[in-house]
Amino acid sequence: MFTNGTLVLYKNQAALIKECGEKYTITYSGGTQKVREKDICFLHKGPISSLNELQSTDTGENTELNVKFDEVWELLQDEGELSYTLSALAELALGDFSAQQAFLIYEVLTKHPKFCTLPLQEPEQPRFALRSAEEAQREIEKQSEKQREKEERAAFIERLRRKKLLLPQDGVFMGEVEALALGKTDKSKVMQEAGFSVSEEKAHKLLLDCGLWTIYRNPHPSRRGLSMQSAHERLPPFPEDETGRINVDHKAYAIDNSWSCDPDDAIAFDGTYVWVHIADPAAAVMSDSPIDRAARNRGATLYTPEGASRMLAEESLADYALGLAEEKDSASFSRALSFRIKLNDTGAVEQADVLKTRVKVERLTYEAADAQKSSPELAPLFAIAQKNIERRKQAGAVFIDLPEVHISLNTEPDSAVSENSPAETPKAPRVEIKAAVHCESASLVREFMLLAGEAAARFAFKNRIPFPYVCQDKPEIPRDIPEGLAGQYRLRRCMKSRSVSISPAPHAGLGLGMYSQVTSPLRRYSDLIAHQQLHAFLDGRPLLDKDTMLERISAGDAAAGAAVKAERKSNLHWTLVYLLQNPDWQGEAVIAEIKGNQAVILIPSLAREALIPLPAGKGLNDTLTVKAAHINIPELTETYVSVKEA
């Protein structure tokens, strides 16, 4: 029914038919398109030669047309017709209906509060019904509200462009910016409208600049899809009449940092066997249970300066962490999955057994253990650890000692209270960074954990238990490794990535023939699943097959990898906040590598590395004093300069 030059609607836009055939060739604002007859709707037979002949829909005539259609609406109130065509209404209002006016009239009528656009019936002309007076009034109010919202948004966009928001009322428009900064979306329409680049970092900066966020907001766990809340489903307590668990008659020591509150390992030596007792949540967390799946989705406990977001429920620590019950009641004891290890004369693992035990545990800090290292109770443990270090050195183990720090937040409220404020006034957290003090007992614990990992791997291999073995290829270490921190930095760069396999293989970095991680089931999913396999074997229950086990470990490791990245970025975030809180900070730096006219420096007091221009006359391991220069929290970047050059 259409001919060349006919004006039609296509996707609610004006279009002109240029050629007729099995399909119609049309031109419209989007270009030229071949369409079916049912895809278009008739407006005017024309003919017109170009869409440029159409009257603009952005002219002052819209107001005049609205007045005329108000009169038409009044005129037709008593006619009783159900609907009217576009052309009929146009002729009543204007006495004429030209192709040039057709699309303008269509646009005016579709927005007129007293007319209702009926569903298009291709290829007929659009039809309209009259609204009742009440409906028309409601539509007028609705359109007025929309116009008001449009004007408010336009005013907000202008304020956003100038970064001068009216708070708190403008906060309602900034939800999508906050969602972008938190990694919950990758789009922000308001940022685009205001002319800002759209990225997580730009959104973060905008929120800071506008005063909606402070520098104390850490978005990095959220960007990795991680919760800052611990798992919520509590593990059931151990039954009092539990069978298959033996009592051991020695005392074991849980040695850890002073700030640790989730001790999951304790060590002992009874004169014949080395004992490594590990917290035993796998006694309650059944394979693929809801708690197990939730732990797998987390992968690991997330540790940030704000606190710990635990893989297993916080409330479970009282029952499953080692030594906590004994601190409350000296008659209590801890349940553990214990590795009983017999060493040969060289200190190597000769025999390994896995037992479900009840054991008395005493908690010690590293500092307290160091102070007691010559005592009859701890001296044998230190001697065993030292022998294991020597054994691993002979096997090619690589020992790397780089600076570490502990970052914490002091969030104690101000004690000074005004007359108008009966409660304590909260204050911004104060960042505290303390360099880790090297304690011999930290090495002691490390060596016992390695013995447990080696013993578990050998036990699983001997008993053909599908098990997660951790391995690492031998590093290529050059002969000219320098001394000091520069050498430690170079060694770290030589190391290969570790991998998890269902077949045992050497862990070259540790100097062990086979190894598995089994000492942190409260906070690492791969350790938990290893414990589940050991429990199933001890209880005579079916084991996970290799493929299923590896699939679950891969899922857990992927989630744990996200937690590690979130921890690193969170630590850097709070380090930068620390530098902003301490603008006069200066610290010692050590040159770890020289790259042409630049130097890689290590800053021990911050555990940071940075690239700076190489100071004249300086070489590897030389020290210099530096200060922070440019700190950018949204981008997580900072630069340092030599104090002499500042």
Side-chain angles (χ1 to χ4, degrees), residues 134-149:
E134 294 79 8
E135 291 172 335
Q137 183 58 38
R138 285 197 296 270
E139 185 64 20
I140 289 171
E141 292 172 356
K142 181 179 177 181
Q143 290 187 9
S144 296
E145 179 64 19
K146 284 185 176 180
Q147 181 62 27
R148 184 187 65 80
E149 290 175 355

Side-chain angles (χ1 to χ4, degrees), residues 412-471:
E412 291 297 321
D414 290 329
S415 57
V417 182
S418 69
E419 294 181 0
N420 298 325
S421 176
E424 291 183 328
T425 304
K427 67 175 182 178
R430 192 75 189 173
V431 185
E432 297 176 352
I433 301 181
K434 295 181 180 178
V437 178
H438 177 73
C439 294
E440 287 185 55
S441 52
S443 298
L444 160 67
V445 173
R446 180 195 66 210
E447 295 305 315
F448 272 69
M449 297 307 105
L450 293 177
L451 283 170
E454 183 181 7
R458 293 186 180 280
F459 181 86
F461 181 69
K462 176 183 177 182
N463 292 286
R464 300 183 178 180
I465 302 172
F467 212 63
Y469 298 96
V470 182
C471 45

